[in-house]
Amino acid sequence: MVQRHSKEKFMVYDRWAKKGSPTYSPKPHSAPHLEGKRDTGLEEWANHYCFNRKEDGTYEAELDEGWDEGSHYGGGTIHVDVEKGWFELPYDEFLQNVLKLAAATHYGFTLEDLKEKEGLKEFFGF
């Protein structure tokens, strides 16, 4: 198992956040559960969505996903590095690229969701 040591975390969404919390969203951030391209009829959801600034100064997108598998829940955590070259782009273009990482758009996260997160721009150094 690979250990990931984060220097700093910016939480965008937490499924269990209370209304009024910075990580709360009225959106369900769920999607149909697919096996390949086949819709299983089940729903899957994002448990949390965040960005990590690692000890070496690089960044990663992290999304924890889950779905019901009968007597237990399935899922896992997706970690995808943010490309260094993207930091040279205008902020909105940078965010559009970041949204493609870790299945964020699959769970309904949008450019507007990220742009409204106070402190995210500064977290990424823009």
Side-chain angles (χ1 to χ4, degrees):
M1 179 175 169
V2 175
Q3 277 197 314
R4 298 182 185 273
H5 301 281
S6 293
K7 180 177 180 183
E8 189 177 351
K9 182 179 291 278
F10 188 100
M11 189 65 71
V12 173
Y13 170 74
D14 179 355
R15 183 173 179 227
W16 297 279
K18 302 271 189 243
K19 190 173 185 176
S21 165
T23 60
Y24 172 80
S25 174
K27 296 178 184 179
H29 293 295
S30 61
H33 181 64
L34 305 175
E35 288 182 1
K37 293 183 180 188
R38 186 178 68 82
D39 186 340
T40 64
L42 299 174
E43 181 181 52
E44 59 187 46
W45 55 85
N47 288 314
H48 73 254
Y49 178 41
C50 66
F51 297 101
N52 302 312
R53 182 176 15 219
K54 299 187 287 185
E55 289 178 357
D56 64 2
T58 61
Y59 293 80
E60 70 179 359
E62 174 183 321
L63 188 139
D64 187 73
E65 60 184 353
W67 51 86
D68 189 7
E69 289 190 331
S71 64
H72 65 282
Y73 292 107
T77 306
I78 303 167
H79 296 267
V80 182
D81 290 335
V82 175
E83 292 189 31
K84 290 179 185 179
W86 292 354
F87 289 89
E88 303 301 320
L89 300 171
Y91 185 61
D92 283 10
E93 193 174 338
F94 169 82
L95 290 180
Q96 286 286 13
N97 286 341
V98 166
L99 276 169
K100 297 173 187 170
L101 303 176
T105 55
H106 176 70
Y107 291 104
F109 292 97
T110 66
L111 177 62
E112 291 73 29
D113 292 331
L114 294 184
K115 285 178 70 172
E116 73 182 21
K117 291 297 174 184
E118 191 173 318
L120 184 60
K121 187 173 188 176
E122 293 78 12
F123 176 79
F124 282 127
F126 282 87

